[in-house]
Amino acid sequence: MITEYIVHERFTRLILIFGGWGTDAHPFMHLRKNGYDILFISDYSGYRDDNEADIIKLQQIVGQYSETIVFAWSFGVRVATTLLERLPAPLRITRRVALNGTPTHVHDLRGIPSATFRGTLAGLSETSVRKFHRRMFATGADYASFAENAPHRPFASLVTELQTFAELPPVENTSVWDIAVISGEDRIFPRENQLRGWEGTETVVLKDAHHFPDMQMLIDRFVVDKQLVAQRFAGATDTYASQATVQHTVADELWQNTVDFLDKEPYNRVPKILEIGVGDGTLTRKYSDFFRKAEITLWDIADVSLPDGVPSSATLRVCDAETTLYNEPDENYDIILSASTIQWFHSPARFISCLGKALAPGGIAAIALYGKGTFREIEATTGRTLSYLTFDRLKKAAIDSGLNELYAAERSYTVSFTGATDLLRHLKLTGVNSLGNGGAGDALKLLRNYPLQSDGTAALTYHPLYLILKK
């Protein structure tokens, strides 16, 4: 395998891309994401699933970063699947996205049909490679743009690499992947075969897209700009309390349901409490009076101050909780609380799985986050959204990690504003205006195209999910 950095600014986070057959980094050199290095992997000639050198190499790369997001495209999905299976669990890979490929890479029902693959290999020539590249695109103009930055691969290496994929058996494991993106007009991996291949996995179908991915769009969609999130929430600290009415309601409901499962004196030591996403202390103030003696640790990604009304003995740490929890000692906390935070994580389900490791026996985790349907009006207008998970998937992650469900509920709240301008102001003052890199362009779309009610008001939907779990 060949590795090549597209961006190497020694950021603490990495986007790792497994390319498809015949590619290298040249068609992708334009890719950027604030706060992330970007590394491209290509040329799988001679790859074997049992090659320890590839695992060691990948482990060394990923081990340099506090967080890694993995994308794999086309036949790269097959290679990445077995490598991700074998990587040590503590490595902080928080999201894994498969693009227009399946682990069953050559398969009549769940991959490229066998006859198609054999015909491609048997008739491989420089002319057929050009025809293959053309089939990846919708228009001649799109193909011409690709050709200007085409991969710099000798033809002989393409032959060897395709022979390697002929010898690799299909693999059935799809569980290492969080999301599968499928192009509706893919003429390389048939759409229906991909749908069958990813049955049981969260899928996103891009209706009019073709095989070659708009990788920048996908990065912007599936990689959270955590620096921007921290900056926006830090900037909204002074206005959050007066504007975040739904978040206050969510925190109150979470605590009112949690307190029923708590006892002030259940421990033979001072209870250790961790709150993730302290913000302005909305949730913290609700439970700090309940526990007059407790060791309280507060985490937030934003550079916030210890909120007013919170015990001065509490410890405040500015960190990315999604990756920090991996390094915490086992069974370190008696209670873990979080409200309106972990929907910003790359993998809320994987994070919930980690709660089982972090909680002491008998410990309780009380989590409120937002699920599918949240900000649906913004998604309809701009196409931007977080990757909200289904409730069933979150519950399964909890059960699989040894946590018992004490309480689960979902709600829907709609907030009305006098118009799109008032709504944009609300997003800014609550710090939740960091869904993507659209900037002024997205703001203009919202102002011009936001779906208004018959009375001219603008509605915004929140869909909170509540989970109270016990180890």
Side-chain angles (χ1 to χ4, degrees):
M1 297 190 305
I2 295 174
T3 58
E4 182 177 359
Y5 274 100
I6 294 172
V7 176
H8 196 197
E9 298 293 334
R10 306 204 180 275
F11 291 118
T12 60
R13 297 184 174 94
L14 175 69
I15 295 170
L16 181 63
I17 302 172
F18 287 83
W21 167 66
T23 58
D24 61 18
H26 282 88
F28 303 94
M29 293 304 292
H30 63 287
L31 298 177
R32 297 292 184 273
K33 187 68 176 182
N34 183 40
Y36 290 82
D37 282 348
I38 302 178
L39 181 68
F40 197 88
I41 296 179
S42 62
D43 195 348
Y44 310 107
S45 300
Y47 170 82
R48 301 192 319 273
D49 289 334
D50 61 354
N51 187 349
E52 291 298 325
D54 287 336
I55 288 291
I56 293 171
K57 182 177 183 179
L58 192 59
Q59 185 175 349
Q60 289 172 340
I61 291 169
V62 174
Q64 300 173 47
Y65 293 89
S66 65
E67 179 177 22
T68 297
I69 313 299
V70 173
F71 289 86
W73 169 50
S74 195
F75 273 4
V77 174
R78 166 60 181 85
V79 174
T81 298
T82 50
L83 289 175
L84 292 174
E85 280 180 325
R86 298 176 62 205
L87 280 175
L91 287 175
R92 293 179 291 275
I93 300 177
T94 56
R95 177 166 286 174
R96 306 159 189 222
V97 184
L99 312 171
N100 292 337
T102 63
T104 47
H105 62 305
V106 180
H107 194 285
D108 288 338
L109 295 177
R110 300 193 301 277
I112 292 179
S114 301
T116 302
F117 179 83
R118 290 195 302 269
T120 301
L121 181 58
L124 201 60
S125 67
E126 293 186 2
T127 299
S128 71
V129 170
R130 286 194 294 271
K131 290 181 179 179
F132 175 86
H133 287 162
R134 176 62 183 87
R135 285 174 58 82
M136 296 194 300
F137 297 92
T139 67
D142 291 338
Y143 168 66
S145 178
F146 165 82
E148 291 178 1
N149 299 285
H152 295 184
R153 292 278 302 276
F155 175 71
S157 76
L158 304 190
V159 177
T160 304
E161 187 179 24
L162 200 58
Q163 289 173 336
T164 296
F165 281 112
E167 295 167 4
L168 284 176
V171 295
E172 300 294 335
N173 183 17
T174 59
S175 64
V176 299
W177 298 101
D178 300 305
I179 302 166
V181 179
I182 300 170
S183 289
E185 300 297 327
D186 195 326
R187 291 187 290 170
I188 307 300
F189 268 87
R191 174 181 180 272
E192 295 304 319
N193 281 18
Q194 290 190 62
L195 288 171
R196 282 189 288 266
W198 291 112
E199 188 174 352
T201 302
E202 181 182 354
T203 56
V204 174
V205 177
L206 304 178
K207 181 179 178 182
D208 298 320
H210 285 247
H211 185 67
F212 190 85
D214 183 345
M215 190 66 77
Q216 186 64 63
M217 178 274 289
L218 294 168
I219 286 174
D220 288 341
R221 176 167 180 172
F222 292 112
V223 180
V224 177
D225 186 340
K226 292 189 175 181
Q227 290 186 3
L228 181 61
V229 171
Q231 175 187 334
R232 295 283 170 83
F233 277 111
T237 301
D238 294 338
T239 54
Y240 187 88
S242 62
Q243 295 291 322
T245 54
V246 171
Q247 290 88 337
H248 283 281
T249 299
V250 168
D252 186 64
E253 182 171 355
L254 178 67
W255 175 244
Q256 291 303 320
N257 285 288
T258 302
V259 73
D260 294 337
F261 300 105
L262 297 177
D263 188 329
K264 288 187 179 181
E265 306 296 339
Y267 310 104
N268 56 12
R269 58 184 174 83
V270 174
K272 297 180 70 173
I273 300 173
L274 170 64
E275 183 186 347
I276 294 167
V278 60
D280 70 340
T282 296
L283 177 60
T284 322
R285 285 185 285 270
K286 297 181 184 301
Y287 67 78
S288 57
D289 285 341
F290 184 86
F291 288 105
R292 296 184 180 180
K293 293 182 179 180
E295 182 182 327
I296 298 175
T297 301
L298 309 172
W299 290 355
D300 203 287
I301 196 170
D303 189 6
V304 297
S305 303
L306 194 67
D308 294 338
V310 173
S312 58
S313 60
T315 300
L316 175 63
R317 180 179 180 183
V318 178
C319 65
D320 180 356
E322 182 171 19
T323 55
T324 301
L325 195 67
Y326 285 94
N327 293 325
E328 290 295 282
D330 290 357
E331 302 184 348
N332 195 41
Y333 297 102
D334 300 298
I335 301 170
I336 298 178
L337 302 161
S338 182
S340 302
T341 295
I342 71 171
Q343 69 277 354
W344 293 102
F345 292 0
H346 283 117
S347 183
R350 191 170 289 115
F351 181 79
I352 284 178
S353 297
C354 290
L355 296 177
K357 172 178 174 292
L359 282 172
I364 286 180
I367 307 294
L369 70 161
Y370 297 95
K372 288 184 179 295
T374 299
F375 289 5
R376 57 184 176 83
E377 300 87 354
I378 293 177
E379 181 182 6
T381 307
T382 67
R384 296 187 183 276
T385 181
L386 296 176
S387 294
Y388 298 109
L389 296 186
T390 63
F391 213 178
D392 287 343
R393 188 171 178 194
L394 293 169
K395 290 180 181 180
K396 184 178 185 303
I399 292 170
D400 289 348
S401 64
L403 299 171
N404 296 318
E405 179 186 309
L406 299 178
Y407 176 84
E410 52 187 313
R411 305 279 184 261
S412 184
Y413 298 106
T414 301
V415 183
S416 293
F417 302 90
T418 57
T421 301
D422 188 30
L423 181 141
L424 281 172
R425 178 176 176 274
H426 165 78
L427 295 176
K428 179 179 180 180
L429 296 180
T430 54
V432 297
N433 56 335
S434 48
L435 291 176
N437 293 339
D442 276 356
L444 192 59
K445 286 181 184 177
L446 289 171
L447 287 171
R448 289 179 174 175
N449 304 314
Y450 199 85
L452 300 179
Q453 306 298 303
S454 58
D455 60 358
T457 59
L460 185 64
T461 301
Y462 289 82
H463 186 69
L465 311 176
Y466 301 86
L467 272 178
I468 302 176
L469 309 162
K470 185 173 184 179
K471 183 172 179 177

